[in-house]
Amino acid sequence: AVKVKARAKTPEPPAPGNKQLAASCLVKFREEFLKDNLGTALAASGDCLKFAPSDPLLAAERAPLLVRLGRYEEGVKEYERAAALCRVKAAETWIKLGKHDKALAQYRLALKTEPRDMNALKGLAAALEARSDFSGAIGTYETILKLEPGNEKARVRKEELRSGSLTSA
């Protein structure tokens, strides 16, 4: 038996970032949807979710597709997901404007729709702290820790607030 040495595998070029993959995926999804290829469009949008799971635009564009396919409950969930994601962005913008009351309202509306939204929970906790509502912030950090038990930042911040050593870490 003659031993043949295997050739080294030619390295593949580095894959483009998720942002580029999401953008090209979104183009394919839109093309298929406009061609009325609903099944292919749905599959493409599912692929897009892998690259951009928190893109409110994708959620908003998936919703009518799901509705057209008669998947009404899924369509409603996508509309609600898009709204929640936009509410988090609105809250972040209100904070930049120094309007913490309005930010709190937006975070709470986002959490009504998506109670497990980490961005909304983290933003709500920070906004509550900024308003000196430490018990509210502690409760929000506890919710974060229930969902992500290994979240070290939330655990440390909760303990700091509990012990009264209010650092700005």
Side-chain angles (χ1 to χ4, degrees), residues 2 4 10 15 34 43 57 59 67 69 90 100 114-115 129 138 156 168:
V2 176
V4 177
T10 307
L34 288 173
L57 182 59
V67 169
L69 290 168
H100 292 275
E114 291 286 328
E129 277 192 61
I138 288 169
V156 167
S168 61

Side-chain angles (χ1 to χ4, degrees), residues 99-162:
K99 308 276 185 172
H100 292 275
D101 288 344
K102 292 185 183 250
L104 285 170
Q106 290 299 312
Y107 282 129
R108 287 183 173 129
L109 285 169
L111 288 166
K112 275 187 177 179
T113 305
E114 291 286 328
R116 302 171 62 93
D117 184 310
M118 275 302 146
N119 291 324
L121 286 166
K122 291 173 185 175
L124 178 62
L128 288 168
E129 277 192 61
R131 300 245 358 228
S132 299
D133 180 353
F134 302 124
S135 64
I138 288 169
T140 305
Y141 285 124
E142 288 172 348
T143 301
I144 291 169
L145 289 167
K146 284 178 189 168
L147 298 171
E148 285 183 0
N151 188 318
E152 191 63 18
K153 285 183 179 181
R155 187 190 62 72
V156 167
R157 198 65 192 138
K158 180 184 95 168
E159 292 308 316
E160 288 173 342
L161 290 172
R162 273 221 170 109

Side-chain angles (χ1 to χ4, degrees), residues 92-103:
E92 291 168 354
T93 305
W94 280 120
I95 285 174
K96 289 177 183 188
L97 292 168
K99 308 276 185 172
H100 292 275
D101 288 344
K102 292 185 183 250

Side-chain angles (χ1 to χ4, degrees), residues 5 8 20 37 44-45 49 66 82 105 128 167:
K5 199 172 190 179
Q20 289 174 320
N37 296 332
S45 71
L49 278 175
L66 290 162
L128 288 168
T167 64

Side-chain angles (χ1 to χ4, degrees), residues 20-37:
Q20 289 174 320
L21 291 170
S24 65
C25 186
L26 195 56
V27 168
K28 181 180 180 195
F29 160 61
R30 288 175 177 150
E31 286 174 355
E32 294 300 322
F33 190 51
L34 288 173
K35 291 179 192 172
D36 221 25
N37 296 332

Side-chain angles (χ1 to χ4, degrees), residues 66-94:
L66 290 162
V67 169
R68 281 195 55 204
L69 290 168
R71 295 164 68 170
Y72 302 122
E73 286 184 20
E74 291 173 77
V76 166
K77 285 181 182 174
E78 284 297 272
Y79 278 126
E80 288 177 343
R81 192 169 70 86
L85 293 164
C86 288
R87 291 199 181 282
V88 168
K89 292 298 181 187
E92 291 168 354
T93 305
W94 280 120

